[in-house]
Amino acid sequence: MIEVDTVLLKVASRCNIDCRYCYVFNMGDTGWSRGPKQMSRQTCQATAAALTRLVHEQGRPFAVVLHGGEPLLLGAANLSHVILTLREALPAECAISIQTNGILINEAILDLCASTFVTLSLSLDGPRHVHDRNRVGFAGEGTFDRVIEGLGRLRSHPDAEFLFTGVLAVIDPESDPRELYTFFKDLRPPSVDFIYRDGNHSRLPEGKVSSSTTEYGQWMAALLDIYLADESPMRIRILDDMIKLVLGGVGSKDGVGLTNYGVLIVDTDGSVTKNDTLKSSFDGADRFLEPWSVHTHRLSDILRSAEFAAYHAMQRPSSPTCLACPELGVCGGGMTLHRWRDGGGYDNPSVYCEDQKLLIGCIREKVASLSAVT
Ligand code: SF4
């Protein structure tokens, strides 16, 4: 049976803002409009029961991430029901966290999270002029001020040090890496994770002229220089992972390296889906053929099925170019969604292949020069 490391619980299918690059709402998939707006209490209880059985069957805890849409749209009362149901059902070793845009953070939610040991990670792309290019409301207005206000409420909570685990930022290759680095460092987050924008060979990520250009790789390489020159750097998860992989270690998250991660996604109606980032490939790409649901199926049966095994194997690249690539162990072929091409499926190198090669080359050079000095 495939072991699960992370369960993404889609507790809300809608969002309170309308980010231009959002794969859930703005990249062609319409699945969000068919499901319930929020996970019902009945589905939440069925999910908790299914997860309890799974944690016993696999004999190993997993992390649960409350995801959306925007999970805080549930409000404190419904969120409390979800969290208390999960906390009651799962062993304490199962970490629970929330990925939020931060705007709806309030005292009641923070007190709830503090009392139930639930952490929060915020999506914030950088200073106002960078963040507001894409992270906008339904009238196209920037959301920077509202996110910073939410972050301020989080930071001023007495348990902020435990509650706040970090920031997730989508890279804008037109931004200035030094300005971004200084901005985030001044915010003092425990960690920042920079991620490539969604896109593929048929719908290029914004900011990439073609799959042979290296806009994102150059941006990341500039960030690497700033990071390594800083005597007291903030934590940047993706760079730490790639440096570890270059040195022969292992990463901590999917997207780089060759570790297979077991990610299970439960939608607001209780259905079990593929990773929702695949929605950027085509409408319905995140759906299994089998109508799996926590209401009707045992999770361990799903995890033992051929269809789930085939989906799990998609994490590893299948393209001959990747399989022969000297950087496969560090790059890992990138995220599955970035390999998509209409008519050719996922059997391609990442659309970020050249960016990855450039960045890995820079990391190798830096590591070699540091080893020569010591
Ligand atoms: S995406 Fe490119 S760099 Fe990454 S493993 Fe494949 S060929 Fe190598």
Side-chain angles (χ1 to χ4, degrees):
M1 179 174 91
I2 289 162
E3 278 200 0
V4 171
D5 314 295
T6 307
V7 177
L8 290 185
L9 278 195
K10 299 279 174 183
V11 293
S13 63
R14 310 296 159 92
C15 193
N16 54 334
I17 63 173
D18 191 27
C19 297
R20 295 199 167 101
Y21 51 53
C22 181
Y23 59 82
V24 179
F25 303 107
N26 293 328
M27 290 196 80
D29 187 275
T30 56
W32 60 271
S33 61
R34 293 188 286 273
K37 288 184 181 166
Q38 296 185 2
M39 186 175 270
S40 69
R41 293 191 169 200
Q42 194 199 6
T43 299
C44 175
Q45 274 149 5
T47 305
L51 293 179
T52 309
R53 212 175 296 131
L54 177 64
V55 84
H56 291 303
E57 284 172 319
Q58 76 169 26
R60 208 180 129 223
F62 40 71
V64 179
V65 185
L66 305 188
H67 222 267
E70 169 51 43
L72 300 192
L73 275 174
L74 261 66
N78 285 335
L79 198 60
S80 169
H81 178 264
V82 170
I83 291 173
L84 293 176
T85 304
L86 291 170
R87 272 280 170 251
E88 211 169 284
L90 296 173
E93 296 78 35
C94 288
I96 304 178
S97 61
I98 301 176
Q99 182 63 45
T100 172
N101 60 41
I103 293 171
L104 298 174
I105 289 175
N106 61 33
E107 201 80 359
I109 288 173
L110 291 170
D111 288 345
L112 165 70
C113 291
S115 65
T116 51
F117 302 102
V118 172
T119 57
L120 295 105
S121 167
L122 248 72
S123 300
L124 171 64
D125 284 356
R128 181 198 309 276
H129 70 100
V130 177
H131 179 92
D132 283 354
R133 261 181 226 155
N134 289 293
R135 299 194 67 84
V136 295
F138 291 99
E141 78 286 8
T143 58
F144 179 81
D145 288 337
R146 288 190 286 157
V147 175
I148 292 297
E149 282 164 25
L151 178 58
R153 292 189 286 275
L154 169 54
R155 301 225 59 149
S156 52
H157 191 275
D159 293 312
E161 209 166 316
F162 166 77
L163 290 169
F164 183 30
T165 52
V167 169
L168 184 65
V170 177
I171 299 168
D172 179 345
E174 283 176 17
S175 64
D176 174 359
R178 185 169 295 282
E179 185 191 10
L180 272 267
Y181 187 84
T182 308
F183 169 79
F184 282 121
K185 196 173 169 190
D186 287 348
L187 283 182
R188 292 174 292 108
S191 163
V192 181
D193 205 1
F194 289 99
I195 57 172
Y196 290 150
R197 221 173 261 188
D198 292 343
N200 52 55
H201 292 278
S202 297
R203 280 162 293 283
L204 287 174
E206 205 186 313
K208 247 185 111 54
V209 170
S210 82
S211 56
S212 59
T213 55
T214 55
E215 298 86 344
Y216 284 78
Q218 289 175 46
W219 194 95
M220 285 296 288
L223 185 74
L224 173 77
D225 283 346
I226 299 161
Y227 182 53
L228 293 179
D230 187 348
E231 285 177 3
S232 54
M234 62 178 176
R235 246 195 99 215
I236 300 181
R237 197 278 309 171
I238 182 67
L239 290 180
D240 290 349
D241 270 7
M242 291 181 81
I243 293 167
K244 270 192 250 164
L245 286 159
V246 162
L247 292 170
V250 287
S252 62
K253 216 175 149 192
D254 57 350
V256 288
L258 288 174
T259 307
N260 272 350
Y261 295 92
V263 182
L264 186 78
I265 294 148
V266 181
D267 213 340
T268 44
D269 62 355
S271 58
V272 173
T273 69
K274 298 182 187 179
N275 198 313
D276 59 353
T277 58
L278 297 180
K279 289 178 180 202
S280 60
S281 307
F282 59 92
D283 195 352
D286 64 324
R287 295 277 147 184
F288 287 107
L289 295 173
E290 292 290 336
W292 287 322
S293 165
V294 295
H295 292 290
T296 47
H297 295 80
R298 232 182 145 104
L299 293 176
S300 53
D301 289 341
I302 296 172
L303 293 163
R304 282 192 187 97
S305 70
E307 192 182 0
F308 198 93
Y311 158 66
H312 187 69
M314 281 167 64
Q315 285 183 64
R316 294 281 185 104
S318 52
S319 141
T321 312
C322 288
L323 298 180
C325 175
E327 299 299 5
L328 177 62
V330 180
C331 170
M335 303 285 285
T336 311
L337 76 144
H338 294 144
R339 295 181 211 138
W340 175 262
R341 185 189 300 277
D342 292 350
Y346 295 102
D347 194 11
N348 307 290
S350 168
V351 71
Y352 289 108
C353 175
E354 296 304 323
D355 302 274
Q356 289 289 83
K357 283 184 195 160
L358 185 141
L359 175 58
I360 296 167
C362 290
I363 295 174
R364 288 200 187 285
E365 256 175 49
K366 294 281 175 196
V367 167
S369 64
L370 288 172
S371 323
V373 172
T374 51

